[in-house]
Amino acid sequence: MLRYLTKRKILAALFILVICLSVVYGCFSGQKAFSSAPQLLTDPFLQLPTQSSVRVLWFTEFAGSKHNVAYGDNLQQTAVANTTKLSRTREDQESKVGNQKENGQVYKQPVSRDIWRHEAQVVGLTGLKRVSYRVTSVREDGKSISSNTFTLAPTPTPGTPLKILLTSDHQLKPMIAANLQKVVETVGKVDAVWLAGDTVNIADRASEWFDDNGGGAFFPCLQGRAKFERDVNGKKTSFLGGEIIQHAPMFTSIGNHEVMGRFGKGGSLGDEFNDAFPRPVAMKLYGEKSLKDNSYNTDTYEEIFTLPESKEGGESYYAVSFGDVRLVVLYATNMWRTPNMDAEARGKYRERDKDLQNPENWGYGQVIFEPIAKGSKQYNWLEKELNSPEFKQAKYKVVMFHHPPHSLGDNIVPAYTNPVQIIERDANRNVKTVRYKYPKKSDYLIRDVIPLLEAAKVQMVFYGHSHIWNRFLSQSGMHFLETSNVGNTYGAFLSGDKRSVPSGDKKDYAALGDPNGLEPVLPTIAPLPGKDGKPIPYIASNDMTAFSNFDTGMATVSSYRFDTSQPDSKVVKFDEFQLR
């Protein structure tokens, strides 16, 4: 009987507690409880300028009730933002964010992270006048947070002298913050940023974009809010990045690191990234339903940015006029695979021995994500664009994509072509080996795209991927610039060390030099010395970082270097060439 009464008292107490909580919940009209003041996950940044407008974007970790941009004289005008939630941003056991300093401390598997994107269109802009603006977000509990005040402008008219930052391959690498800080200190405010792919390492890992513990996440570095520390001889130096994209629109191309592989099939986000699967094979294995989830996608990349669009390619390839420049952006990148050829390598040239009987686990070599060969949808669009009045009338004609057509780096080998699969079987039809070849004569960029650009009198092709600085000049006078030694390098292969390539096939796989036949151009002002003291035509260093500036008023492309191992040293302009 006593136990029964005690149980009744407990139930009564629980009932009263539920009633009290319900009353409290009702009093706050369903508002979520917050323990700290609201914060913006990023500063605002600029996208998609037109002759009379520009988009302002920013991110928060709360949905909020009101988000707007105040702009104009005394910030008296207002643009209301449209809010959407990123659909695939997550953290996992390899994230370095919040309390997770080592793998698996907090996250044991991929976990969704709620991030909201706010975008407002500022309209009524005219001429060259820069306009002040500030963004404000109001949280569900009514508390608000505002950014600092920055400036924006519409797209510049022809004849306006511009400074355009050329960069790529950020990927949280160690020298990014220093590089972008020195851009601002050396060049000042730029008018636009061209980024030739590889913004982050794992596109769906939210912290790589916003708040990685290492201090070098993508947005903080480009907004002067990074906190990357470098230890030099026991002395710590902090680099903050540069306040750039708050004032200048950014145009990007898709690199291999913007592409995520099969969704939800790996134990980590890194596994997913490394699991891009060719769509024709996925169609046979899985059918058309959920084809994207069973092959690859660029969802997070496309949800984060608002870029110009083409009817055929959407944001993945497009063209845009900006001042005197017609910029053509292509989707030219493939799945990176290891060059290792041992039994455990799911690589460029072979499948792992343990996977041979299971095609669902094959990597299928360096899968090309978007066709660009002659006759493809992208090629036909490019051909049409190169014959458009906007392109033909532009003073400067520039093409940007990720994969290098000419380079001393490692990633230019093998050729940019679909892998040719070679399967050997035993007498019982069991698979013995799966190998891949890449005939150099079938390189789509060299065979199909570059002749098209040469004929259209493109002055410069800008790209990345190999994490070095080098440039080339074709016989017709077209410049090729790879300025991707921004954060780190994997080496240059002009002499001495050789690329890791299959033995006995020199025709298709060059171990040294540019496999596509151009000689690198020696920097015109201050080339670095090699080991023998002679000047070298590249920068491939994990201490020396490089960036380039396209000055449309002077028709020059200037490249600069900074030695991060000597934080007090000066930035050196080491190369300059002119677009004619």
Side-chain angles (χ1 to χ4, degrees), residues 180-401:
L180 297 173
Q181 180 174 318
K182 295 304 173 181
V183 168
V184 173
E185 292 175 3
T186 307
V187 178
K189 278 195 169 79
V190 299
D191 298 289
V193 177
W194 295 352
L195 198 154
D198 284 5
T199 47
V200 295
N201 284 310
I202 311 293
D204 283 3
R205 187 177 287 143
S207 50
E208 295 200 10
W209 295 98
F210 303 113
D211 52 5
D212 183 87
N213 284 336
F218 179 76
F219 282 108
C221 282
L222 278 161
Q223 296 187 322
R225 299 167 55 248
K227 294 180 181 177
F228 189 89
E229 287 191 343
R230 171 145 191 173
D231 195 325
V232 180
N233 299 324
K235 180 183 176 182
K236 289 187 185 261
T237 300
S238 291
F239 294 104
L240 304 178
E243 186 180 298
I244 298 173
I245 58 174
Q246 295 98 318
H247 304 273
M250 180 164 54
F251 302 96
T252 60
S253 66
I254 296 176
N256 54 300
H257 282 270
E258 275 71 51
V259 185
M260 293 294 295
R262 287 185 284 189
F263 183 76
K265 290 185 179 292
S268 71
L269 295 177
D271 291 341
E272 284 188 26
F273 166 71
N274 285 308
D275 197 28
F277 202 70
R279 288 198 172 137
V281 182
M283 179 73 85
K284 290 179 182 178
L285 288 175
Y286 308 113
E288 192 168 350
K289 186 178 180 181
S290 302
L291 180 61
K292 182 172 65 174
D293 285 352
N294 285 305
S295 56
Y296 51 86
N297 72 87
T298 54
D299 283 11
T300 294
Y301 166 80
E302 294 195 44
E303 288 177 6
I304 282 177
F305 297 113
T306 294
L307 297 166
E309 294 186 35
S310 64
K311 181 180 177 182
E312 295 82 353
E315 291 184 336
S316 62
Y317 53 90
Y318 59 87
V320 63
S321 296
F322 193 80
D324 284 323
V325 186
R326 184 67 172 176
L327 174 66
V328 180
V329 177
L330 302 180
Y331 186 178
T333 189
N334 55 11
M335 179 69 208
W336 186 90
R337 301 284 186 200
T338 177
N340 286 347
M341 287 168 274
D342 58 38
E344 294 303 310
R346 185 171 70 161
K348 300 176 193 283
Y349 306 109
R350 60 160 295 157
E351 298 291 356
R352 293 182 293 207
D353 284 357
K354 67 179 182 179
D355 293 335
L356 291 177
Q357 309 311 317
N358 190 354
E360 192 172 1
N361 290 337
W362 294 356
Y364 293 88
Q366 294 205 152
V367 178
I368 288 178
F369 295 123
E370 180 70 23
I372 200 170
K374 187 173 184 177
S376 67
K377 184 170 69 170
Q378 183 175 193
Y379 180 94
N380 292 342
W381 170 85
L382 174 61
E383 196 170 36
K384 183 179 177 182
E385 161 59 29
L386 297 179
N387 284 293
S388 69
E390 294 87 352
F391 180 87
K392 287 187 171 184
Q393 293 168 13
K395 183 176 181 180
Y396 301 112
K397 303 169 177 67
V398 181
V399 176
M400 177 173 75
F401 49 84

Side-chain angles (χ1 to χ4, degrees), residues 391 397-399 401 405-406 445-446 449-463 471-481 518 521 577-580:
F391 180 87
K397 303 169 177 67
V398 181
V399 176
F401 49 84
H406 296 283
L445 295 177
I446 298 300
V449 175
I450 297 304
L452 208 60
L453 305 185
E454 296 264 12
K457 300 188 182 331
V458 169
Q459 291 124 309
M460 182 170 68
V461 180
F462 167 52
Y463 48 92
R471 71 177 179 93
F472 304 82
L473 184 65
S474 74
Q475 286 186 341
S476 72
M478 187 161 70
H479 295 274
F480 295 86
L481 176 64
L518 291 184
V521 176
F577 63 92
Q578 200 156 29
L579 298 189
R580 301 186 184 279

Side-chain angles (χ1 to χ4, degrees), residues 373-504:
K374 187 173 184 177
S376 67
K377 184 170 69 170
Q378 183 175 193
Y379 180 94
N380 292 342
W381 170 85
L382 174 61
E383 196 170 36
K384 183 179 177 182
E385 161 59 29
L386 297 179
N387 284 293
S388 69
E390 294 87 352
F391 180 87
K392 287 187 171 184
Q393 293 168 13
K395 183 176 181 180
Y396 301 112
K397 303 169 177 67
V398 181
V399 176
M400 177 173 75
F401 49 84
H402 187 63
H403 194 91
H406 296 283
S407 180
L408 300 176
D410 55 346
N411 286 331
I412 195 170
V413 177
Y416 192 78
T417 187
N418 287 321
V420 177
Q421 189 181 67
I422 302 168
I423 300 178
E424 294 182 12
R425 300 178 185 271
D426 62 20
N428 297 319
R429 303 299 296 162
N430 292 316
V431 177
K432 287 175 58 180
T433 62
V434 179
R435 296 182 292 112
Y436 298 98
K437 293 192 70 174
Y438 304 82
K440 187 166 164 251
K441 65 181 181 180
S442 300
D443 188 305
Y444 304 136
L445 295 177
I446 298 300
R447 186 192 70 186
D448 299 337
V449 175
I450 297 304
L452 208 60
L453 305 185
E454 296 264 12
K457 300 188 182 331
V458 169
Q459 291 124 309
M460 182 170 68
V461 180
F462 167 52
Y463 48 92
H465 196 36
S466 284
H467 296 242
I468 66 174
W469 182 97
N470 54 187
R471 71 177 179 93
F472 304 82
L473 184 65
S474 74
Q475 286 186 341
S476 72
M478 187 161 70
H479 295 274
F480 295 86
L481 176 64
E482 179 175 15
T483 179
S484 59
N485 189 160
V486 177
N488 75 314
T489 190
Y490 303 113
F493 300 91
L494 183 59
S495 61
D497 292 341
K498 297 181 179 180
R499 298 183 183 98
S500 179
V501 297
S503 59

Side-chain angles (χ1 to χ4, degrees), residues 13-252:
L14 286 172
F15 178 76
I16 292 169
L17 179 61
V18 170
I19 294 296
C20 290
L21 288 173
S22 298
V23 171
V24 170
Y25 181 82
C27 289
F28 284 94
S29 303
Q31 288 179 0
K32 182 178 175 182
F34 294 95
S35 59
S36 60
Q39 293 185 350
L40 301 179
L41 193 54
T42 65
D43 268 347
F45 63 101
L46 304 180
Q47 295 271 264
L48 200 63
T50 72
Q51 292 179 347
S52 61
S53 70
V54 68
R55 307 292 180 94
V56 179
L57 288 76
W58 70 102
F59 295 87
T60 63
E61 288 193 273
F62 56 86
S65 57
K66 295 177 183 176
H67 306 274
N68 63 69
V69 180
Y71 67 99
D73 295 335
N74 300 317
L75 304 177
Q76 290 183 344
Q77 295 175 267
T78 301
V80 177
N82 178 49
T83 294
T84 55
K85 188 178 178 183
L86 300 184
S87 65
R88 298 205 176 202
T89 43
R90 291 163 285 164
E91 302 294 354
D92 69 345
Q93 56 270 47
E94 297 170 12
S95 298
K96 298 296 182 290
V97 63
N99 293 324
Q100 182 160 287
K101 314 294 184 187
E102 303 292 338
N103 285 359
Q105 279 183 321
V106 178
Y107 304 101
K108 309 300 180 187
Q109 60 195 22
V111 175
S112 293
R113 182 172 171 190
D114 293 339
I115 292 173
W116 283 268
R117 175 188 190 269
H118 316 290
E119 176 179 347
Q121 185 175 21
V122 173
V123 298
L125 304 177
T126 57
L128 302 176
K129 181 183 177 183
R130 297 199 67 86
V131 175
S132 297
Y133 80 98
R134 180 182 67 206
V135 305
T136 298
S137 285
V138 181
R139 203 166 58 183
E140 293 89 326
D141 60 358
K143 294 182 179 179
S144 67
I145 176 68
S146 296
S147 70
N148 290 336
T149 300
F150 306 107
T151 64
L152 53 78
T155 197
T157 56
T160 306
L162 305 172
K163 292 182 289 187
I164 300 172
L165 171 63
L166 311 180
T167 186
S168 72
D169 297 85
H170 288 194
Q171 299 175 240
L172 281 81
K173 299 303 182 184
M175 297 191 291
I176 298 296
N179 182 285
L180 297 173
Q181 180 174 318
K182 295 304 173 181
V183 168
V184 173
E185 292 175 3
T186 307
V187 178
K189 278 195 169 79
V190 299
D191 298 289
V193 177
W194 295 352
L195 198 154
D198 284 5
T199 47
V200 295
N201 284 310
I202 311 293
D204 283 3
R205 187 177 287 143
S207 50
E208 295 200 10
W209 295 98
F210 303 113
D211 52 5
D212 183 87
N213 284 336
F218 179 76
F219 282 108
C221 282
L222 278 161
Q223 296 187 322
R225 299 167 55 248
K227 294 180 181 177
F228 189 89
E229 287 191 343
R230 171 145 191 173
D231 195 325
V232 180
N233 299 324
K235 180 183 176 182
K236 289 187 185 261
T237 300
S238 291
F239 294 104
L240 304 178
E243 186 180 298
I244 298 173
I245 58 174
Q246 295 98 318
H247 304 273
M250 180 164 54
F251 302 96
T252 60

